[in-house]
Amino acid sequence: RGDFLKYMKNTFAILLFVSLLLSGKINAQSKSFQELLTESKNCPVGENVIESNYADNFSRNKKSTGLAMLYSFILPGMGELYGGNYSSGKYFTIADGALWITLAGMSAYGNNQRDNYIAFAKSFGGISANGKTDQFYADIAGYNSVDDFNNQQLLDRNFEGTYNTETYYWKWQSTEKRKEYKNTWTSSESAFNSIKFVAGALILNRVISVINAIRI
């Protein structure tokens, strides 16, 4: 029975050493294999070996999956950096920066074009911009005047869709001016619609970074 207990102690110590070696937890300052065997012989069977001198080294190197997820969600790539492998994480950080720059650029362009088409509609369409909705600016792109628009709504029996001809008045100087306005309006709307895709890419980049951080 004594030989069996001695054999079990030595076997358990060897398995512990191999597992720690494979997980990268043993460094140059760790005790030697012979010292581990010596200490294990003095340990009673069933004692929790994690409470040995190797427990401190393991705890110092253990990473929190929750923190890695949080870091990657806040800034993609930071979870990988926390996990000790930024070689892949840096690409998520670079992508995030590029996406934010793209979003800011599209937002600025969309707002600038919006200011341009409103000013254009005031000058060549005779509109008053006070209290006008986005739908109004979309509607004036397709009709030369408020009368043309209202007549079409009446033909479609959409009586509630007509505009008050005084407060929502417009009449383009020419069809060409209306088309020029429409081009500017379309470019602004396209920029704002593209922002939605960029925002989706920002979320997707975080999700992938979180998964990669968990893997690491």
Side-chain angles (χ1 to χ4, degrees):
R1 185 173 181 275
D3 292 337
F4 177 76
L5 291 176
K6 181 178 179 181
Y7 172 78
M8 290 299 295
K9 290 179 183 178
N10 290 339
T11 302
F12 190 76
I14 292 172
L15 291 175
L16 174 64
F17 175 80
V18 172
S19 64
L20 290 173
L21 182 63
L22 292 176
S23 62
K25 302 302 180 183
I26 293 181
N27 54 37
Q29 297 178 349
S30 298
K31 293 184 177 181
S32 67
F33 178 60
Q34 184 60 43
E35 289 174 326
L36 177 61
L37 289 177
T38 301
E39 289 184 2
S40 66
K41 292 176 183 179
N42 298 324
C43 292
V45 176
E47 182 177 350
N48 190 351
V49 182
I50 297 179
E51 295 178 356
S52 69
N53 292 336
Y54 288 93
D56 292 336
N57 186 45
F58 177 79
S59 298
R60 284 195 299 268
N61 290 281
K62 186 178 180 180
K63 302 296 183 179
S64 169
T65 301
L67 281 177
M69 294 172 63
L70 178 62
Y71 292 153
S72 279
F73 184 79
I74 295 174
L75 179 60
M78 292 300 99
E80 290 88 338
L81 179 62
Y82 167 74
N85 184 6
Y86 193 52
S87 59
S88 61
K90 63 183 179 182
Y91 297 108
F92 294 104
T93 305
I94 294 172
D96 195 64
L99 287 170
W100 278 113
I101 292 173
T102 302
L103 187 144
M106 287 183 172
S107 179
Y109 176 77
N111 285 320
N112 182 66
Q113 289 296 84
R114 177 181 171 83
D115 292 340
N116 288 340
Y117 72 65
I118 291 176
F120 189 90
K122 287 180 179 179
S123 300
F124 301 101
I127 75 163
S128 171
N130 295 331
K132 299 305 185 293
T133 63
D134 289 340
Q135 185 59 51
F136 172 78
Y137 290 113
D139 290 337
I140 67 176
Y143 297 86
N144 286 331
S145 69
V146 64
D147 292 329
D148 290 345
F149 178 86
N150 285 344
N151 289 336
Q152 184 61 52
Q153 302 310 304
L154 293 175
L155 288 174
D156 295 338
R157 304 186 67 82
N158 181 22
F159 305 112
E160 295 181 355
T162 59
Y163 283 119
N164 183 300
T165 57
E166 294 183 3
T167 55
Y168 287 89
Y169 174 84
W170 83 86
K171 185 176 182 179
W172 293 106
Q173 292 181 2
S174 65
T175 300
E176 287 70 24
K177 290 297 182 183
R178 178 182 63 80
K179 291 181 178 179
E180 188 175 345
Y181 163 86
K182 186 175 182 179
N183 289 335
T184 308
W185 174 84
T186 301
S187 64
S188 176
E189 289 298 301
S190 297
F192 286 130
N193 288 332
S194 296
I195 288 176
K196 299 176 184 178
F197 293 101
V198 177
L202 284 167
I203 295 174
L204 180 61
N205 189 46
R206 279 160 170 74
V207 171
I208 298 176
S209 179
V210 165
I211 295 173
N212 192 47
I214 293 173
R215 180 187 62 81
I216 292 174

